[in-house]
Amino acid sequence: MSMRRPSFKRLVEIIVAFTKMGFMTFGGGFAMIPLISEELVEKKQWLDQEKLLETIAVAQALPGSLSINISVLVGYEVADVAGALAAVVGAALPPFSTIMLLAAFFGMFQNNPVVDAAFKGVRCAVVALIWNAGLGTAKTTVKDPFSMAIFAFTIVVMMFTSLNPAVLIVFLAMIGVGAVAVRSWRERREFSQMRRGKEGQNGTY
Amino acid sequence: MVLIDLFTVFFRIGLVSFGGGYSMIPVIDNAIAQRGWLSAQEFYNLIALSEVTPGSISINAATFVGYRVAGFFGGLVATLGLVFPSLLVVLVAAILLLKYGNSRSVQSAFLWVKPAVAGLVIVAGEYVARTCLIDESALHPLHLRGLLDYRGWVIFAVTAYCVRKRKVPALPMIGVSCLMGILLFR
């Protein structure tokens, strides 16, 4: 999907999309996920649900802000390095400009009961948006007892311990890589045993 | 030079803090306290401010601290410093994934990781719920009233119904919940 030379129009489109999502992201990087699956997966179809899950996994396992990491990965997927840069500029612009404006007039917003009530209302809606996106991602990936177990394990561990999610992701990825290594080692051993058995039958050993 | 100091401090934060958002707060707090850039009270206000402003918490923090220390360019330099390591590290990862993404090992790693990510999304919702739907003190069995605070759950239920059954996009729901928040919580 990644293009060698993205058009200027496409890059502007990326900046606009990420700026728009950035202004709607309340409550940390994960609040971005319902917006991505609505804007970029369903509407623009720049990536699919599976790719979004892979993106979140990689973004979570690497250092830095989750929303910035997701932006770099999606931008790169859509339009190469230039796309990654465009996505980051788009994603960083809303928090940067909002804080700059508020910092210049700091105190205006603090302890304003109307503003506090409005944002509390938004957070209640954000919970529904995140869980809706969570159900969507679960539907694409939780299909058998194996994935069900990992899904449940993650929820229990993250709710009842203060484990860093990056540690969990890296740990599971290492098990996945290890499983392949064990499988191919076993296959090789069986193959060589089989061959040795045959050679024995032929009496050439 | 304070601008270079801001850049290197936030570059280091961006490079070493894993897990995003809330797990970056103690790292930022540590670096700021060491240099006396913000008082504890100011930092607490910053976190509160970050929660009600859009976008990444860590970018909010970098912009605010940079602005406080050295004005507009301070904010700009601190933000660039924070974003830069992510950009480098994640780009390298993206390029490697494009090359080796289809290998058996990477596919197997994703097989293990993807259901966990779906779980993380669910848990992230629960974290946000703690700031509006569930009063922490209500988790005590004798304080069930906070848990049953109907106002937050009304907004939650309306949003859930609209996005799941009516396929309403997120943007109008954020506007509507803003108004409902003012009506119900004030």
Side-chain angles (χ1 to χ4, degrees):
Chain A
M1 240 213 274
S2 145
M3 289 170 292
R4 280 292 110 208
R5 197 177 278 264
S7 67
F8 181 69
K9 198 180 142 225
R10 174 48 65 94
L11 294 179
V12 172
E13 212 182 341
I14 293 172
I15 295 182
V16 171
F18 277 89
T19 305
K20 188 180 158 196
M21 292 192 294
F23 272 117
M24 290 158 61
T25 307
F26 290 91
F30 274 100
M32 197 182 179
I33 290 157
L35 307 173
I36 292 184
S37 71
E38 181 184 310
E39 276 288 311
L40 308 186
V41 176
E42 278 164 34
K43 230 188 262 169
K44 293 194 197 299
Q45 301 191 334
W46 283 350
L47 67 167
D48 59 23
Q49 203 54 267
E50 287 280 325
K51 190 79 204 174
L52 176 61
L53 274 170
E54 292 182 9
T55 300
I56 303 166
V58 175
Q60 185 71 264
L62 296 173
S65 154
L66 187 63
S67 53
I68 292 299
N69 292 359
I70 292 177
S71 305
V72 175
L73 288 166
V74 175
Y76 182 79
E77 171 80 13
V78 176
D80 228 81
V81 177
L85 272 171
V88 165
V89 169
L93 217 52
F96 180 75
S97 52
T98 313
I99 291 293
M100 275 293 181
L101 283 174
L102 282 180
F105 310 99
F106 193 60
M108 259 176 66
F109 265 53
Q110 259 192 308
N111 300 325
N112 181 328
V114 179
V115 175
D116 284 351
F119 282 119
K120 205 169 177 190
V122 170
R123 284 203 298 273
C124 296
V126 165
V127 177
L129 293 175
I130 293 181
W131 276 342
N132 185 41
L135 290 180
T137 51
K139 217 189 280 173
T140 58
T141 185
V142 181
K143 293 168 184 156
D144 47 22
F146 164 78
S147 50
M148 192 74 200
I150 298 177
F151 178 70
F153 171 76
T154 304
I155 292 180
V156 170
V157 165
M158 294 313 295
M159 275 179 74
F160 296 105
T161 73
S162 54
L163 184 73
N164 190 318
V167 174
L168 182 74
I169 296 284
V170 171
F171 172 71
L172 288 172
M174 274 160 52
I175 296 183
V177 172
V180 167
V182 168
R183 213 179 305 143
S184 62
W185 173 77
R186 239 192 235 145
E187 275 165 15
R188 251 197 323 255
R189 199 184 53 172
E190 269 164 27
F191 181 70
S192 64
Q193 273 175 347
M194 210 168 65
R195 206 170 55 182
R196 216 175 295 149
K198 258 190 195 153
E199 281 165 355
Q201 274 173 2
N202 292 341
T204 51
Y205 194 69
Chain B
M1 177 97 172
V2 72
L3 287 181
I4 296 173
D5 202 22
L6 274 170
F7 185 85
T8 48
V9 164
F10 279 96
F11 186 92
R12 214 171 322 137
I13 291 171
L15 195 62
V16 301
S17 53
F18 286 85
Y22 291 97
S23 57
M24 292 172 97
I25 290 173
V27 186
I28 297 173
D29 186 23
N30 207 351
I32 291 168
Q34 260 178 16
R35 284 170 183 73
W37 279 343
L38 292 184
S39 70
Q41 182 59 38
E42 275 183 308
F43 188 71
Y44 175 76
N45 287 344
L46 167 65
I47 301 304
L49 190 69
S50 294
E51 274 165 7
V52 295
T53 49
S56 157
I57 291 168
S58 47
I59 292 198
N60 286 347
T63 309
F64 185 74
V65 173
Y67 179 85
R68 266 304 162 89
V69 174
F72 174 83
F73 286 105
L76 186 66
V77 161
T79 307
L80 287 177
L82 183 77
V83 171
F84 206 52
S86 279
L87 195 61
L88 289 181
V89 172
V90 180
L91 258 181
V92 170
I95 291 165
L96 288 177
L97 268 182
L98 204 63
K99 215 169 168 191
Y100 301 108
N102 289 325
S103 75
R104 227 158 54 123
S105 304
V106 175
Q107 283 305 313
S108 167
F110 276 131
L111 200 70
W112 280 76
V113 161
K114 274 191 221 168
V117 171
L120 286 180
V121 179
I122 301 286
V123 176
E126 193 251 353
Y127 279 128
V128 181
R130 281 187 202 188
T131 70
C132 56
L133 293 176
I134 305 164
D135 186 359
E136 289 279 350
S137 63
L139 294 176
H140 190 279
L142 292 176
H143 296 86
L144 275 174
R145 259 191 63 213
L147 193 62
L148 299 172
D149 183 352
Y150 72 96
R151 297 170 300 181
W153 289 100
V154 166
I155 302 176
F156 170 81
V158 169
T159 312
Y161 173 76
C162 291
V163 294
R164 284 201 74 76
K165 299 285 173 210
R166 304 260 152 205
K167 304 281 170 217
V168 179
L171 184 59
M173 286 327 297
I174 285 175
V176 167
S177 61
C178 216
L179 291 175
M180 285 170 68
I182 293 171
L183 284 174
L184 293 169
F185 281 121
R186 204 170 64 126

